[in-house]
Amino acid sequence: AQTVTQSQPEMSVQEAETVTLSCTYDTSENNYYLFWYKQPPSRQMILVIRQEAYKQQNATENRFSVNFQKAAKSFSLKISDSQLGDTAMYFCAFMTHGTGNQFYFGTGTSLTVIP
Amino acid sequence: NAGVTQTPKFRVLKTGQSMTLLCAQDMNHEYMYWYRQDPGMGLRLIHYSVGEGTTAKGEVPDGYNVSRLKKQNFLLGLESAAPSQTSVYFCASNYRSSYNSPLHFGNGTRLTVT
């Protein structure tokens, strides 16, 4: 079975500080893709960052970076210089190529940035 | 760019009533999906479609039906609404051919069944 686990239901961070959100997954597939989505109070789902499992280099998007450990099946998200606009629910997800590009989501981590 | 558009944004139903949620995308995506989001449970796949005229069941399909008569539209129907179907519903789409194609989401529909 394909599963995604986000073990931190809630987190908080001081503005301008760094925070890391954890994500682990389980799959028997060798080729897959990993994503972090952000859901602010507006409810919109926004892609934050993505990583191909066959790439060893960790993805980076401005203040967002990942620590991808394939052997450990771990995919954590680091947010540097946290801003008030980073307050949101964050979902980890991975995609495999079965019929229909199957996506599997974690239960989310609610992040609050404290001014 | 409209992207993925869902209508309506909010809806309140009484138990036993029916309704249809409409999803439209203008990105020429082959794949479309319907998810529901409940507190503490993340997003769960209801149904999906890999192309016009095709649909398939996801993780939680019971009580829902779907249709994809046109490539750009994906409809989600509730024939007889139940309080357990109170949720936020998201439509999403992506390309078939791009191996790292992320999901593009609509803005969601909040459905309350009383």
Side-chain angles (χ1 to χ4, degrees):
Chain A
Q2 325 271 16
T3 59
V4 180
T5 302
Q6 293 180 250
S7 59
Q8 305 151 315
E10 296 181 356
M11 294 188 72
S12 61
V13 62
Q14 291 291 138
E15 193 175 6
E17 296 296 309
T18 296
V19 64
T20 299
L21 281 59
S22 66
C23 173
T24 59
Y25 58 93
D26 189 21
T27 181
S28 57
E29 301 283 336
N30 194 43
N31 293 323
Y32 51 89
Y33 305 87
L34 297 154
F35 305 87
W36 278 97
Y37 281 89
K38 167 186 176 181
Q39 186 180 40
S42 66
R43 202 171 69 197
Q44 185 181 7
M45 292 287 285
I46 302 165
L47 176 67
V48 175
I49 198 166
R50 54 180 142 175
Q51 171 85 40
E52 292 88 348
Y54 62 85
K55 287 187 177 180
Q56 293 186 341
Q57 185 174 1
N58 289 325
T60 301
E61 287 287 344
N62 300 315
R63 296 183 295 108
F64 299 88
S65 61
V66 299
N67 182 6
F68 174 47
Q69 302 290 328
K70 189 172 184 179
K73 294 181 180 175
S74 172
F75 183 60
S76 61
L77 174 69
K78 185 172 81 171
I79 306 174
S80 304
D81 185 25
S82 297
Q83 300 175 359
L84 297 179
D86 295 334
T87 292
M89 182 73 80
Y90 288 81
F91 291 97
C92 177
F94 78 90
M95 180 187 83
T96 63
H97 270 293
T99 302
N101 289 347
Q102 299 290 324
F103 278 80
Y104 301 89
F105 287 87
T107 53
T109 296
S110 177
L111 176 67
T112 300
V113 179
I114 302 167
Chain B
N1 289 333
V4 180
T5 303
Q6 286 181 237
T7 53
K9 290 184 171 55
F10 302 93
R11 187 72 187 268
V12 178
L13 290 179
K14 294 183 178 180
T15 297
Q17 288 185 320
S18 63
M19 75 163 293
T20 299
L21 303 182
L22 172 63
C23 177
Q25 53 93 5
D26 62 0
M27 296 172 283
N28 203 34
H29 286 164
E30 294 89 353
Y31 292 171
M32 297 187 75
Y33 312 78
W34 277 106
Y35 289 89
R36 60 177 288 172
Q37 182 181 20
D38 302 291
M41 303 191 76
L43 280 80
R44 293 182 293 169
L45 183 63
I46 304 170
H47 287 280
Y48 64 98
S49 168
V50 300
E52 183 177 322
T54 71
T55 63
K57 294 180 180 180
E59 180 185 358
V60 288
D62 294 342
Y64 305 95
N65 57 77
V66 289
S67 64
R68 187 140 179 230
L69 301 179
K70 294 183 179 180
K71 185 178 183 179
Q72 63 268 34
N73 296 337
F74 195 30
L75 278 63
L76 177 71
L78 284 72
E79 293 181 345
S80 179
S84 61
Q85 293 177 305
T86 292
S87 187
V88 177
Y89 292 86
F90 284 95
C91 177
S93 66
N94 70 342
Y95 289 113
R96 175 186 63 206
S97 59
S98 175
Y99 271 61
N100 66 349
S101 177
L103 288 174
H104 296 257
F105 285 89
N107 287 336
T109 297
R110 180 174 293 279
L111 173 66
T112 302
V113 182
T114 61

